[in-house]
């Protein structure tokens, strides 16, 4: 019977994955459907009056939807922090300062943007931040003589490094794997340091040996909505990262401290409006990802429960 159940579970898995890949069923719906189907095949009870019994309604759907709550909170607050950095002009100013210090030399500007963008993505990542940073740094790098391919590689490498140390990404590992914050940060260093070394080697190699370069006019970098900001405010993106990795401060608290520090150091004209609008826009930006995490939590509860293992694998 266990073999039949296992075959059925694998069949459901591959069918739904195929439907997701062909875009017949959106992933945000396929994950809860997969969780319910796997639970039914494994023989888990749908609902029960016994509060101790593992059921689909109570444990897979309800508890599963809350399983990734830490990751969802980290995702929302990370996006909020990114929006605040963007609205007060920190993100754009950091990139502009890096371009000014590197001059028009291809290699220094490539390595500068690799470092600067990695820090920005560690503070806040996601599609919106990648688009924002990319639209600024790619034209600058091309104007410095880098090819479009190399400019894209630098953006992607910086995103990879930043995500490895991102406070919102750490929350996913804490929820999924049940690890402590100290363990997750140590693993981040274990993975991140080789990635940084390889990224630097790649950038140096491609810039020095990528062949013909071309010059172009640089796209002007816009100032933030609040105008010129003080140089001290440019340390804002690393504050939550330092708090988490150096002092083991909880993720959401570290981001909140980072937001407060950003507002104090940059002194925008209307800080309340900046935070409130950033909160709304941040939630809108990560709403799809949060929905996916709810489905992932349901699926994790379905396949990682002791009830599932006893019924389908014994």
């Amino acid at each position: 019977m266990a073999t039949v159940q296992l075959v059925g579970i694998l069949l459901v898995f591959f069918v739904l994955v195929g439907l997701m890949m062909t875009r017949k069923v959106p992933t945000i719906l396929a994950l809860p459907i997969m969780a319910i189907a796997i639970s039914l095949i494994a023989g888990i009870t749908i609902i029960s009056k016994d509060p101790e019994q593992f059921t689909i309604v109570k444990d897979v759907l309800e508890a599963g939807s809350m399983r990734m709550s830490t990751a969802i909170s980290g995702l929302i607050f990370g996006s909020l922090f990114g929006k605040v950095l963007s609205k007060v002009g920190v993100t754009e100013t950091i990139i502009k300062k890096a371009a000014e210090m590197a001059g028009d030399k291809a290699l220094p500007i490539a390595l500068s943007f690799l470092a600067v963008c990695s820090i920005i993505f560690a503070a806040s990542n996601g599609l919106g931040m990648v688009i924002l940073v990319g639209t600024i740094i790619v034209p600058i790098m091309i104007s410095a003589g880098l090819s479009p391919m190399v400019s894209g590689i630098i953006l992607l490498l910086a995103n990879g490094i930043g995500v490895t140390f991102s406070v919102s990404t750490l929350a996913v590992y804490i929820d999924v794997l049940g690890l402590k914050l100290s363990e997750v940060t140590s693993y981040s260093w274990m993975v991140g340091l080789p990635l940084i070394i390889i990224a630097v080697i790649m950038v140096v190699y491609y810039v020095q040996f990528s062949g013909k370069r071309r010059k172009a006019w640089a796209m002007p970098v816009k100032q933030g909505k609040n105008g010129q900001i003080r140089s001290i405010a440019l340390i804002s993106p690393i504050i939550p990262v330092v708090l988490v990795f150096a002092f083991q401060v909880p993720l959401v608290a570290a981001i909140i401290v980072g937001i407060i520090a950003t507002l104090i150091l940059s002194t925008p004209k209307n800080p309340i409006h900046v935070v409130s609008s950033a909160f709304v826009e941040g939630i809108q930006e990560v709403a799809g990802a949060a929905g996916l995490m709810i489905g992932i939590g349901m699926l994790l509860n379905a396949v990682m429960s002791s009830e599932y293992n006893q019924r389908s694998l014994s």
Side-chain angles (χ1 to χ4, degrees):
M1 184 62 180
T3 303
V4 175
Q5 289 177 327
L6 185 58
V7 171
I9 290 170
L10 290 175
L11 180 62
V12 168
F13 174 79
F14 286 115
V15 168
L16 286 173
V17 169
L19 291 175
M20 286 188 287
M21 293 179 65
T22 57
R23 299 184 179 181
K24 300 294 184 182
V25 177
T27 305
I28 200 168
L29 296 179
L31 292 175
I33 293 172
M34 191 183 299
I36 295 171
I38 288 176
S39 301
L40 291 173
I41 294 172
I44 297 175
T45 305
I46 297 177
I47 192 171
S48 174
K49 294 182 179 180
D50 183 5
E52 300 297 325
Q53 185 174 0
F54 190 94
T55 64
I56 294 177
V57 171
K58 176 173 65 72
D59 298 284
V60 175
L61 297 181
E62 185 175 353
S65 65
M66 300 298 294
R67 181 183 179 116
M68 303 287 288
S69 57
T70 302
I72 293 173
S73 297
L75 187 71
I76 292 174
F77 278 91
S79 180
L80 164 62
F81 186 44
K83 289 293 182 181
V84 171
L85 292 175
S86 176
K87 285 180 177 292
V88 301
V90 169
T91 303
E92 295 88 342
T93 305
I94 289 176
I95 294 172
K96 182 180 179 181
K97 292 289 185 182
E100 290 175 351
M101 289 188 293
D104 60 353
K105 301 296 183 181
L107 184 58
I109 203 169
L111 293 175
S112 297
F113 279 145
L114 177 67
V116 166
C117 295
S118 297
I119 294 173
I120 292 173
F121 290 138
S124 176
N125 56 73
L127 180 59
M129 184 59 73
V130 174
I131 293 174
L132 171 64
V133 172
T135 54
I136 299 174
I137 70 167
V138 171
I140 296 175
M141 287 191 289
I142 291 175
S143 71
L146 298 174
S147 68
M149 184 193 74
V150 174
S151 302
I153 288 174
I154 293 170
L155 178 65
L156 295 177
L157 288 173
N159 186 46
I161 295 171
V163 168
T164 303
F165 295 99
S166 170
V167 291
S168 57
T169 303
L170 300 183
V172 177
Y173 298 126
I174 292 173
D175 276 346
V176 174
L177 303 177
L179 299 174
K180 297 179 180 179
L181 179 60
S182 58
E183 294 176 319
V184 177
T185 53
S186 65
Y187 293 146
S188 296
W189 284 114
M190 189 184 304
V191 175
L193 289 178
L195 179 57
I196 292 171
I197 295 172
I198 293 172
V200 171
I201 293 173
M202 285 183 64
V203 170
V204 172
Y205 173 80
Y206 277 113
V207 172
Q208 295 295 101
F209 305 104
S210 59
K212 184 179 178 181
R213 303 171 187 164
R214 63 188 182 89
K215 293 284 184 179
W217 291 104
M219 178 181 290
V221 180
K222 296 180 181 180
Q223 291 292 332
K225 293 181 180 180
N226 292 280
Q228 186 68 32
I229 63 173
R230 293 191 294 271
S231 297
I232 187 64
L234 302 185
I235 68 170
S236 301
I238 67 171
I239 292 176
V241 181
V242 171
L243 290 175
V244 170
F245 280 87
F247 302 101
Q248 301 298 310
V249 177
L251 304 178
V252 173
I255 296 174
I256 292 175
V257 172
I259 293 171
I260 295 173
T262 301
L263 296 176
I264 293 174
L265 297 175
S266 62
T267 57
K269 294 180 180 179
N270 193 341
I272 295 178
H273 175 72
V274 168
V275 175
S276 60
S277 61
F279 199 92
V280 173
E281 293 174 16
I283 292 176
Q284 291 174 341
E285 188 171 285
V286 300
L292 288 177
M293 288 187 177
I294 291 174
I296 291 171
M298 294 179 182
L299 185 58
L300 289 173
N301 267 23
V303 301
M304 295 179 69
S305 68
S306 58
E307 184 81 9
Y308 167 83
N309 292 324
Q310 291 172 2
R311 288 180 177 273
S312 64
L313 301 178
S314 60

Short mmCIF file of all heavy atoms in Angstrom, two decimals, residues 2 5 18 23 25 61 71 85 89 145 155 165 183 219 247 280:
data_model
loop_
_atom_site.label_atom_id
_atom_site.label_comp_id
_atom_site.label_asym_id
_atom_site.label_seq_id
_atom_site.Cartn_x
_atom_site.Cartn_y
_atom_site.Cartn_z
N ALA A 2 2.00 1.20 0.76
CA ALA A 2 2.88 2.35 0.80
C ALA A 2 3.45 2.66 -0.57
O ALA A 2 3.61 3.82 -0.94
CB ALA A 2 4.01 2.11 1.81
N GLN A 5 0.84 4.45 -2.64
CA GLN A 5 0.72 5.84 -2.19
C GLN A 5 1.89 6.68 -2.71
O GLN A 5 1.69 7.82 -3.15
CB GLN A 5 0.67 5.89 -0.67
CG GLN A 5 -0.64 5.37 -0.08
CD GLN A 5 -0.61 5.37 1.43
OE1 GLN A 5 0.43 5.17 2.03
NE2 GLN A 5 -1.76 5.61 2.04
N GLY A 18 4.28 20.00 -14.07
CA GLY A 18 4.11 20.18 -15.51
C GLY A 18 3.10 21.27 -15.82
O GLY A 18 3.32 22.09 -16.73
N ARG A 23 2.27 26.80 -17.55
CA ARG A 23 1.42 27.93 -17.18
C ARG A 23 -0.07 27.63 -17.33
O ARG A 23 -0.88 28.54 -17.56
CB ARG A 23 1.80 29.17 -17.99
CG ARG A 23 3.24 29.62 -17.76
CD ARG A 23 3.56 30.90 -18.50
NE ARG A 23 4.94 31.31 -18.25
CZ ARG A 23 5.49 32.41 -18.74
NH1 ARG A 23 4.77 33.20 -19.52
NH2 ARG A 23 6.75 32.70 -18.46
N VAL A 25 -1.67 26.15 -14.76
CA VAL A 25 -2.12 26.44 -13.40
C VAL A 25 -1.08 27.34 -12.74
O VAL A 25 0.10 27.00 -12.73
CB VAL A 25 -2.30 25.15 -12.56
CG1 VAL A 25 -2.71 25.50 -11.13
CG2 VAL A 25 -3.34 24.25 -13.20
N LEU A 61 -3.72 23.08 6.16
CA LEU A 61 -4.19 24.35 5.64
C LEU A 61 -3.98 25.50 6.62
O LEU A 61 -3.35 26.51 6.30
CB LEU A 61 -5.67 24.24 5.26
CG LEU A 61 -6.01 23.24 4.15
CD1 LEU A 61 -7.50 23.23 3.86
CD2 LEU A 61 -5.23 23.56 2.88
N ALA A 71 9.33 34.22 7.58
CA ALA A 71 9.85 34.58 6.26
C ALA A 71 9.00 35.65 5.60
O ALA A 71 9.53 36.58 4.96
CB ALA A 71 9.90 33.33 5.38
N LEU A 85 14.86 53.31 1.49
CA LEU A 85 16.17 53.69 0.94
C LEU A 85 16.02 54.39 -0.40
O LEU A 85 16.73 55.36 -0.70
CB LEU A 85 17.04 52.45 0.78
CG LEU A 85 17.51 51.76 2.07
CD1 LEU A 85 18.27 50.49 1.72
CD2 LEU A 85 18.39 52.68 2.91
N GLY A 89 16.51 58.62 -1.29
CA GLY A 89 17.60 58.86 -2.22
C GLY A 89 18.90 58.17 -1.88
O GLY A 89 19.92 58.42 -2.52
N GLY A 145 32.77 51.69 -20.79
CA GLY A 145 33.45 50.79 -21.71
C GLY A 145 33.16 49.33 -21.52
O GLY A 145 33.72 48.48 -22.22
N LEU A 155 25.58 42.76 -12.46
CA LEU A 155 24.31 42.94 -11.75
C LEU A 155 23.83 41.63 -11.14
O LEU A 155 23.41 41.59 -9.98
CB LEU A 155 23.26 43.50 -12.71
CG LEU A 155 21.86 43.70 -12.14
CD1 LEU A 155 21.86 44.76 -11.06
CD2 LEU A 155 20.88 44.08 -13.26
N PHE A 165 23.36 37.14 1.86
CA PHE A 165 23.45 37.80 3.16
C PHE A 165 22.19 38.60 3.50
O PHE A 165 22.18 39.32 4.50
CB PHE A 165 24.66 38.73 3.18
CG PHE A 165 25.97 38.01 3.07
CD1 PHE A 165 26.63 37.93 1.85
CD2 PHE A 165 26.55 37.41 4.17
CE1 PHE A 165 27.84 37.28 1.73
CE2 PHE A 165 27.76 36.75 4.06
CZ PHE A 165 28.41 36.68 2.84
N GLU A 183 23.10 29.80 13.40
CA GLU A 183 23.49 28.74 12.46
C GLU A 183 23.34 29.21 11.02
O GLU A 183 24.20 28.94 10.17
CB GLU A 183 22.63 27.49 12.70
CG GLU A 183 22.86 26.83 14.04
CD GLU A 183 21.93 25.67 14.28
OE1 GLU A 183 20.73 25.79 13.94
OE2 GLU A 183 22.38 24.64 14.82
N MET A 219 23.92 57.65 -18.82
CA MET A 219 22.59 58.12 -18.44
C MET A 219 22.71 58.92 -17.14
O MET A 219 23.34 58.47 -16.19
CB MET A 219 21.64 56.93 -18.22
CG MET A 219 20.26 57.35 -17.76
SD MET A 219 19.21 55.91 -17.48
CE MET A 219 18.96 55.37 -19.16
N PHE A 247 25.68 40.96 15.76
CA PHE A 247 25.09 41.01 17.09
C PHE A 247 23.90 40.07 17.26
O PHE A 247 23.26 40.06 18.32
CB PHE A 247 24.66 42.45 17.42
CG PHE A 247 25.79 43.43 17.35
CD1 PHE A 247 25.96 44.25 16.24
CD2 PHE A 247 26.70 43.52 18.39
CE1 PHE A 247 27.00 45.16 16.18
CE2 PHE A 247 27.75 44.43 18.33
CZ PHE A 247 27.91 45.25 17.23
N VAL A 280 3.09 50.50 2.12
CA VAL A 280 2.06 50.07 1.17
C VAL A 280 2.70 49.54 -0.12
O VAL A 280 2.35 48.46 -0.61
CB VAL A 280 1.09 51.23 0.87
CG1 VAL A 280 0.11 50.82 -0.25
CG2 VAL A 280 0.33 51.64 2.12
#
